[in-house]
Amino acid sequence: MPHPAQDHQALQESVNNLAVAVAIRSLPLVLQTFLTTDLTIQQLKVLSVIVTSDRGVAIGRLVSQFEVSMASMSKLLDRLVAAGLATRVSDPSDQRVRVMEATTLGRAVVRELMATRPELGENILARLSLDELRALETGLGAISREMRNLSG
């Protein structure tokens, strides 16, 4: 008789293998999205950090996190501001400190680039049966819950 822990481990391995296979098949479409952006990888990384912050990110923290000079970070941030993707604001708790906040456009750009999931596109989902869609919804809901628990 199969052991529940062994079943769980075997299913985990199968899901992981399937996720890798899907990621590999999706890669050409994901890369295409990145290749069509005018942002550099460094700008995208910095913008992503800014977007994921609830209260803005101190410029000094970005300098430390990315291990670049203040001058280099200032130039990069100037480009993000000029593109309308981010804005410099005063920290409400300390008016002397400047923080970076994402604009609505900046959030939309990161969402579009990072959320590119061709495997969950309408053309793929429309081909799944109702039972498959329900199972996928259940599984993705469980993954979302556990990721929320990890970050909370």
Side-chain angles (χ1 to χ4, degrees), residues 24-66:
I24 289 169
R25 288 185 188 102
S26 299
L27 192 57
L29 295 170
V30 172
L31 286 176
Q32 187 59 39
T33 302
F34 282 101
L35 292 174
T36 59
T37 184
D38 292 333
L39 294 174
T40 66
I41 294 296
Q42 190 75 340
Q43 289 169 338
L44 181 58
K45 288 171 25 179
V46 170
L47 182 59
S48 295
V49 169
I50 295 168
V51 165
T52 58
S53 173
D54 292 335
R55 294 168 277 148
V57 181
I59 296 171
R61 181 176 145 218
L62 292 169
V63 167
S64 297
Q65 186 171 354
F66 288 93

Side-chain angles (χ1 to χ4, degrees), residues 91-102:
D91 186 336
S93 62
D94 185 349
Q95 295 296 314
R96 299 168 295 168
V97 176
R98 303 286 280 171
V99 297
M100 297 302 299
E101 289 184 351

Side-chain angles (χ1 to χ4, degrees), residues 68-85:
V68 297
S69 69
M70 181 61 85
S72 293
M73 183 57 68
S74 289
K75 286 180 187 175
L76 186 150
L77 294 174
D78 286 344
R79 289 186 198 108
L80 292 177
V81 169
L85 301 172

